[in-house]
Amino acid sequence: MARARSRYAPDRGLTTRMVSTMFFIGLLYVVLVGVLLAVLRGAWPLILAATGALFVAQFWFSDRIAAYGMGAREVTPQEAPELHGAIDRICALADMPKPRVAVARSDVPNAFATGRSERTALVCATTGLLRRLEPEELEGVLAHEMSHVAHRDVAVMTIASFLGVLAGIVTRVALWGGFARSRGNDPAGVVLMLIPLISAVVYALSFLLTRLLSRYRELSADRTAALLTGRPSALASALTKVSGQMARIPTEDLRKAEPYNAFYFVPAFAAKESLGRLLSSHPTLEQRLDQLARISAGLSRP
């Protein structure tokens, strides 16, 4: 699914997981819509129109909403020469068009990429990241984010997250609407009572599918970024530094960043016992460093 002329190493494992994720997400989506059509037979035009509109809105605007939520602001080469220079070098190495470049004013050291394609891609770094990393470390992080754009897994994650959003909406509508007014001895009411349960199951399966894809895609981005730049040690140094600095960030700032962990280079957790660690969108730091160490050893062999 990567562009043919990109020099990022292709990853068949990632492609297989993206296709599989989209297949199962699509299957769940069909089941959910089918249940709604079975329950509300007379309202099928409204159901199809509403779900179609939500899907289009999610696909076209979710990346912009995410970027806005994380405080990304596009910057010119004059405003952020170091950041633009690093991305220019990566684009030259990868033979890719330059994405939009943004900075988020946050002390949380991190970076992320959004966009449905290379043409609409945006790569953003926080001010905390720019202040803490050396130039080679910054290039490693940005090469990681550009890998997400090249392999288009950012777009897949955006689309894949839609079903969970829809399931949540259906649950709220069922709880606030027909479910609250239905009677237990009414057959239609019994079906309506099942909608929150079905939606919860759909959301849980969607969540697990996207998490499994997300963990693999982070390892894939580390691997392809290290191979592209030829400096896995720089990326490993950036990972170690950023992960270590997270403990020094105020809890309030970490809580604001935590909802967007699936997009970030390194996840932010407000507490060590956070449930997010158990359901993390990223592999552990040890797994990422071990992989980079193996790549470094392989590159050093004659």
Side-chain angles (χ1 to χ4, degrees):
M1 296 182 74
R3 295 174 72 253
R5 67 189 183 94
S6 169
R7 294 196 184 110
Y8 274 99
D11 191 323
R12 292 182 180 179
L14 178 61
T15 300
T16 300
R17 283 167 173 79
M18 287 193 292
V19 172
S20 299
T21 298
M22 291 305 296
F23 172 79
F24 286 112
I25 288 292
L27 182 61
L28 288 172
Y29 181 81
V30 170
V31 170
L32 181 60
V33 174
V35 170
L36 289 175
L37 291 175
V39 174
L40 306 172
R41 296 174 186 174
W44 66 266
L46 178 61
I47 293 171
L48 294 180
T51 54
L54 284 170
F55 179 81
V56 170
Q58 175 75 7
F59 182 80
W60 287 100
F61 300 113
S62 60
D63 57 338
R64 302 179 198 178
I65 294 171
Y68 176 80
M70 289 182 277
R73 182 183 67 86
E74 284 192 59
V75 291
T76 65
Q78 291 72 33
E79 292 175 301
E82 180 184 358
L83 181 58
H84 271 272
I87 291 179
D88 284 337
R89 288 189 291 275
I90 294 165
C91 289
L93 277 175
D95 192 18
M96 288 176 61
K98 185 177 182 179
R100 293 175 294 147
V101 180
V103 170
R105 293 194 175 279
S106 170
D107 194 45
V108 179
N110 236 315
F112 62 89
T114 65
R116 303 180 308 276
S117 65
E118 290 181 358
R119 186 174 57 85
T120 62
L122 176 144
V123 174
C124 178
T126 66
T127 51
L129 185 82
L130 295 174
R131 189 176 69 253
R132 289 175 171 88
L133 296 189
E134 299 298 325
E136 285 191 355
E137 295 171 336
L138 178 62
E139 281 192 27
V141 173
L142 296 175
H144 169 105
E145 297 304 328
M146 288 289 290
S147 175
H148 289 316
V149 176
H151 289 136
R152 300 190 180 178
D153 51 272
V154 166
V156 171
M157 287 296 291
T158 298
I159 298 171
S161 66
F162 169 72
L163 190 60
V165 174
L166 179 60
I169 292 173
V170 171
T171 300
R172 291 186 182 93
V173 170
L175 290 173
W176 296 343
F179 172 71
R181 296 192 301 270
S182 65
R183 297 179 180 178
N185 58 356
D186 183 2
V190 173
V191 176
L192 285 173
M193 290 174 66
L194 292 176
I195 290 180
L197 176 60
I198 294 172
S199 298
V201 171
V202 168
Y203 176 81
L205 291 174
S206 174
F207 180 87
L208 290 175
L209 285 170
T210 53
R211 281 297 179 269
L212 290 174
L213 172 62
S214 182
R215 292 178 186 179
Y216 184 91
R217 81 185 188 113
E218 294 301 329
L219 288 173
S220 175
D222 284 347
R223 179 169 57 252
T224 53
L227 292 172
L228 179 75
T229 61
R231 293 192 297 267
S233 59
L235 182 55
S237 175
L239 271 169
T240 303
K241 187 178 292 186
V242 171
S243 298
Q245 288 292 315
M246 285 295 179
R248 304 181 182 181
I249 303 300
T251 301
E252 183 179 354
D253 293 340
L254 291 176
R255 283 176 179 161
K256 290 179 181 178
E258 201 165 358
Y260 302 100
N261 274 344
F263 290 93
Y264 282 133
F265 171 64
V266 170
F269 295 109
K272 290 183 178 181
E273 62 274 11
S274 172
L275 180 62
R277 290 187 181 274
L278 299 177
L279 302 174
S280 177
S281 56
H282 291 58
T284 64
L285 176 62
E286 290 74 18
Q287 287 175 306
R288 299 176 76 175
L289 293 179
D290 286 347
Q291 176 182 248
L292 291 172
R294 291 194 299 271
I295 294 172
S296 182
L299 292 175
S300 63
R301 290 171 190 160

